[in-house]
DNA sequence: TTGAAAGCGGTACCAC
DNA sequence: GTGGTACCGCTTTCAA
C-alpha cells in the first residue's frame, strides 16, 4: 500500500496524511491521532526511498570499518550505544567494511555521492589523517570519535587519554615503582600518542629516565599483551609495574606473568585501560585489576546525540568534548617488592 | 550532479548512461568504458533513493540486534564476514538495535514496510520463535543463521552443534571421564538445545546417568563461566571435565580453577567451543585449550553469498546448510586423575 | 486546517 | 545499440 491508496482508503488527502505521519504542527491533533491509528491498523509504512528522494535525506548515518580492525570489541561496544540512541529517531546505521585506507576513502565517496547517508562517523584518527579533509570536501556532515592530531575544526568527542595515563603512571611512581612498562595501542593512532605523552611526562616530572625497551605498541589483542610482557620479563632490569592498553592486552599480560611463575600484584603491578565490556570484567579477575575506565558505550550514546542534532540542522562544527577517565584501584597494584 | 546533468555534460542520453553504469548488456563495451571513466572524473554517483524508488530495491540488508545480546564478539565476528562479502556488490548492512522481542518485531515491520532493506538476517532462533512466521507474512526475503526448532521451510545455515558436543563428550568419556560438567548457552536458544542433546546422548550411549547439577546455562560471558565452575567445584562429586559454551565462558572457568588452587588439564579437563576470534586464542592460553571450532566469520561470508543470490532473484527457499565442527585437542584435556 | 499538483532523480518500456 | 519519457511514492509549495 502506498500513500495514495492509504489516503483514499481512509478518505483523506495525501497531503494531510503525510503531514500527520511526519508530525507537522498544522494538522489537527484529533486528525493526527486518527490517521496514526489507521496507519497502524492497515499497516501502512511510508516508502523510505521515496521519502529520501523527496527530502534529500537518507535517514541513516554511515560508519566504515577496516577489516580486521573494525569489529573489535571496542567498536562493537561503541556501536551498541550509538544504535541505541539513533533508534529513538528511527535513524539507521549503515555499515561498510573495507580492507584499506584507499578503499575507505572510496567508500566515503560512494556513501556521500549517492546520498545513502546523511552523516558519517569517523573513528580512531591517526596522526596524519587525511579522512577529515576528504569528508570536508565531500561536504557531508561528520563527527569524529577520538580527535585529529590538530584538534581540527570539526565536531569530535574524545576521552582524556593523556590524563588517564599520566595519572596512572604518576600513581605507580607514587607507590614506589621506578621501572614501568607500557603496552600501548598502535603507533600512529592519535590516542596512543596521547597516552605515550601522558606516560613520558609523568616519568619526566619525577626525574625518571624513559626507557625505550619498556614501551611496546600493537593491536589490542591478547597475544600482543602476552609477548610484550614476556619481552619485559626477559630484560635484565624488568619493570615492576605495567600499563596495558586494553583489557584484552591485560589478559595476555596476566598469562605471561603466570607462565613466569610470578604473581600479579605481588611481583608485578598492572593497570589496564578498560572500555567497559559486559563480557569481561576487571572486578572478576584474580587478582582484580586496577583500571583507567571510560565507557565506550556511553561515548556511542553521546555521539548519537550529537549526530541527531547535526541532522536537525544545528551547527555543531565547533563541538568538542573531552571526557575524563576514572582511575579505579584494585588488587593488581601494590608497591614494588623491596 | 544528477543523471540529467551528467548525461548532458558528456553528450549522451540518460538512458544510455544509466544502462552503462548499471552494467546492462546492450551498451557497447567502448561506450560503457567511456561513461564509466567520465563518471569517475566528474564524480557522478547515482542517487540511491531515486534508484531505490524506481527499482523497488533498497540495496541493503537488515539485521536486528537485541540490546545486551546483539553486539557480543560472536555477532561481531559474523558481521565482519558478512559485510566483507556484501561489500563486493555494494550492498550495505543496516543495523537496528532493540530492547526486546516486541521491539524486534516492530523493527521488522518497519524495515519491511518502508522497503528500507531487501532482505533480513535472523540469528539465534529460539525454540518457540515467532519471527520466521512474522517475516513470512511480511513477505520479505530472509535467511536464518542457526535454525528453527522445526528446521522450517526457509533458507538457513547452521553449524552442527549436536555433533560437536556429542563428539567432545564422547571423547572425554573415551579417555575415562565419568563426571562431565556442561556450561551451555541460554536456555531456549535452539543451538543450546542441540548441544544439550549431543551431551545427553553421548552420556546415554555409554550408560552414564545424566546429572542435572552438572548442567548450567547462561550468556557467553566470563562471569557465567566462573560461577558455574565454582558451583561445580563445590559439589560433593565435582566433574573431572567441563564443556564450556564459548571462549569467554572458558576464561571464567579457568579463573575458577586457578582460584581453587587446581590445575587445568591435570585436575580438571576443559573443552570450549571456539567461534574463532582474532583477539583471543585457544592456542595462547596456559595450558592451551581444546576446542570445538567453527568460524563465525566464515559463516558470515557464506550467508552473504546466499543473500546475494536471493537478491538476484534466485529461489533459495529450500536452502539448508549444516557445517561440521572440528574437535581440536590441546593440553587442557587429559584423562582424569586416578 | 486541508487539498491539488509539481517536483525529487533514477529506471525501463517502447520506439527508432 | 541508443534515445524519449512515463512512471516509482513521497514531500512541500501554493491556493483555497
Amino acid at each position: 500500500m502506498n500513500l495514495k491508496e492509504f489516503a483514499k482508503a481512509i478518505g483523506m488527502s495525501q497531503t494531510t496524511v503525510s503531514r500527520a505521519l511526519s508530525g507537522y504542527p498544522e494538522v489537527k491533533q484529533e486528525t493526527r491521532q486518527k490517521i496514526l491509528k489507521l496507519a497502524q491498523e492497515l499497516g501502512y509504512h511510508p516508502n523510505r526511498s521515496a521519502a529520501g528522494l523527496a527530502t534529500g535525506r537518507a535517514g541513516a548515518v554511515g560508519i566504515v570499518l577496516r577489516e580486521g580492525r573494525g569489529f573489535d570489541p571496542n567498536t562493537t561496544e561503541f556501536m551498541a550505544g550509538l544504535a541505541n540512541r539513533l533508534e529513538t529517531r528511527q535513524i539507521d546505521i549503515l555499515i561498510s567494511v573495507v580492507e584499506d585506507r584507499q578503499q575507505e576513502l572510496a567508500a566515503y565517496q560512494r556513501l556521500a555521492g549517492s546520498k545513502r547517508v546523511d552523516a558519517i562517523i569517523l573513528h580512531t584518527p591517526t596522526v596524519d589523517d587525511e579522512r577529515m579533509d576528504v569528508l570536508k570536501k565531500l561536504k557531508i556532515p561528520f563527527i569524529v570519535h577520538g580527535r585529529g592530531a590538530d584538534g581540527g575544526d570539526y565536531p569530535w568527542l574524545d576521552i582524556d587519554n593523556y590524563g588517564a595515563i599520566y595519572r596512572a603512571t604518576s600513581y605507580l611512581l607514587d607507590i614506589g615503582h621506578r621501572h614501568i612498562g607500557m603496552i600501548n595501542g598502535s603507533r600512529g593512532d592519535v590516542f596512543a600518542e596521547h597516552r605515550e605523552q601522558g606516560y613520558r611526562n609523568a616519568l619526566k616530572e619525577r626525574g625518571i629516565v624513559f626507557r625505550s625497551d619498556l614501551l611496546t605498541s600493537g593491536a589490542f589483542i591478547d597475544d600482543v599483551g602476552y609477548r610484550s610482557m614476556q619481552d619485559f620479563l626477559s630484560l635484565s632490569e624488568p619493570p615492576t609495574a605495567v600499563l596495558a592498553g586494553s583489557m584484552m592486552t591485560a589478559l595476555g599480560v596476566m598469562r605471561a606473568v603466570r607462565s613466569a611463575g610470578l604473581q600479579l600484584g605481588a611481583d608485578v603491578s598492572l593497570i589496564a585501560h578498560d572500555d567497559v565490556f559486559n563480557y569481561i570484567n576487571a572486578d572478576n579477575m584474580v587478582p582484580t585489576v586496577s583500571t583507567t575506565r571510560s565507557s565506550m558505550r556511553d561515548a556511542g550514546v553521546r555521539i548519537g546525540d550529537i549526530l541527531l542534532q547535526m541532522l536537525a540542522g544545528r551547527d555543531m562544527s565547533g563541538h568538542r568534548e573531552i571526557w575524563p577517565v576514572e582511575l579505579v584501584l584494585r588488587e593488581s597494584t601494590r608497591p614494588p617488592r623491596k
Side-chain angles (χ1 to χ4, degrees), chain A:
Chain A
M1 172 160 33
N2 60 27
L3 176 57
K4 198 169 174 180
E5 293 163 8
F6 175 63
K8 181 183 287 178
I10 67 170
M12 298 256 157
S13 77
Q14 299 184 34
T15 315
T16 304
V17 171
S18 171
R19 288 205 269 238
L21 261 27
S22 304
Y24 280 54
E26 54 263 60
V27 183
K28 209 201 299 179
Q29 209 31 248
E30 187 188 334
T31 316
R32 183 197 312 288
Q33 291 307 331
K34 198 175 94 191
I35 294 178
L36 245 30
K37 203 180 111 229
L38 257 18
Q40 176 77 23
E41 284 174 20
L42 300 184
Y44 167 68
H45 291 266
N47 178 306
R48 254 322 304 186
S49 293
L53 177 55
T55 59
R57 275 174 281 113
V61 301
I63 183 162
V64 177
L65 306 174
R66 285 255 292 291
E67 250 309 1
R69 300 194 60 174
F71 272 115
D72 59 17
N74 297 294
T75 311
T76 273
E77 195 63 17
F78 171 79
M79 300 252 291
L82 176 72
N84 185 252
R85 189 70 190 81
L86 295 181
E87 184 75 11
T88 62
R89 290 286 203 290
Q90 315 237 115
I91 300 294
D92 296 294
I93 300 177
L94 214 137
I95 292 193
S96 289
V97 176
V98 298
E99 282 165 17
D100 52 37
R101 226 355 109 75
Q102 198 59 34
Q103 282 188 18
E104 181 176 352
L105 295 177
Y108 291 135
Q109 218 110 32
R110 186 171 68 83
L111 290 176
S114 62
K115 297 226 164 34
R116 230 185 188 314
V117 299
D118 300 319
I120 283 175
I121 298 152
L122 228 55
H123 62 100
T124 327
T126 54
V127 173
D128 289 308
D129 208 320
E130 54 188 333
R131 296 177 298 168
M132 286 80 106
D133 284 334
V134 168
L135 290 181
K136 247 182 261 171
K137 280 202 196 90
L138 287 172
K139 295 201 189 321
I140 183 161
F142 68 96
I143 179 165
V144 177
H145 183 208
R147 72 186 103 161
D150 51 357
D153 59 336
Y154 41 76
W156 53 259
L157 182 155
D158 197 5
I159 60 171
D160 182 15
N161 282 295
Y162 172 90
I165 301 307
Y166 174 84
R167 279 183 60 204
T169 309
S170 298
Y171 174 78
L172 291 171
L173 292 167
D174 283 346
I175 61 176
H177 292 279
R178 287 296 170 269
H179 300 280
I180 302 174
M182 174 163 180
I183 305 172
N184 204 359
S186 298
R187 183 143 285 151
D189 285 351
V190 172
F191 82 90
E193 300 293 326
H194 287 169
R195 290 185 184 179
E196 182 173 337
Q197 283 311 315
Y199 171 70
R200 283 175 180 259
N201 281 358
L203 292 179
K204 191 191 271 174
E205 287 182 9
R206 315 286 166 128
I208 306 288
V209 180
F210 168 79
R211 284 173 53 190
S212 63
D213 57 353
L214 288 187
L215 176 65
T216 70
S217 55
F220 286 155
I221 62 179
D222 166 277
D223 198 39
V224 168
Y226 182 70
R227 293 191 195 191
S228 297
M229 192 64 201
Q230 278 202 318
D231 290 347
F232 286 165
L233 292 176
S234 70
L235 294 172
S236 59
E237 182 113 56
T240 58
V242 171
L243 298 162
S246 76
M247 292 302 290
M248 289 296 163
T249 315
L251 288 177
V253 169
M254 296 175 82
R255 189 152 61 82
V257 169
R258 278 197 305 275
S259 299
L262 299 174
Q263 230 191 318
L264 202 70
D267 301 305
V268 187
S269 285
L270 171 67
I271 300 182
H273 184 75
D274 182 9
D275 290 301
V276 190
F277 315 134
N278 71 345
Y279 47 86
I280 197 133
N281 188 328
D283 258 323
N284 281 346
M285 311 241 169
V286 182
T288 58
V289 173
S290 299
T291 58
T292 50
R293 180 173 64 188
S294 183
S295 164
M296 208 69 168
R297 176 179 291 253
D298 290 349
V301 171
R302 181 68 183 128
I303 290 221
D305 267 336
I306 301 169
L307 275 171
L308 288 178
Q309 302 206 45
M310 291 169 67
L311 296 190
R314 185 104 100 258
D315 176 26
M316 294 274 122
S317 58
H319 192 93
R320 282 137 192 53
E321 244 174 84
I322 302 180
W323 287 14
V325 176
E326 274 180 285
L327 176 59
V328 185
L329 297 174
R330 299 193 181 85
E331 299 164 358
S332 69
T333 39
R334 295 210 220 135
R337 279 193 198 285
K338 288 290 137 50

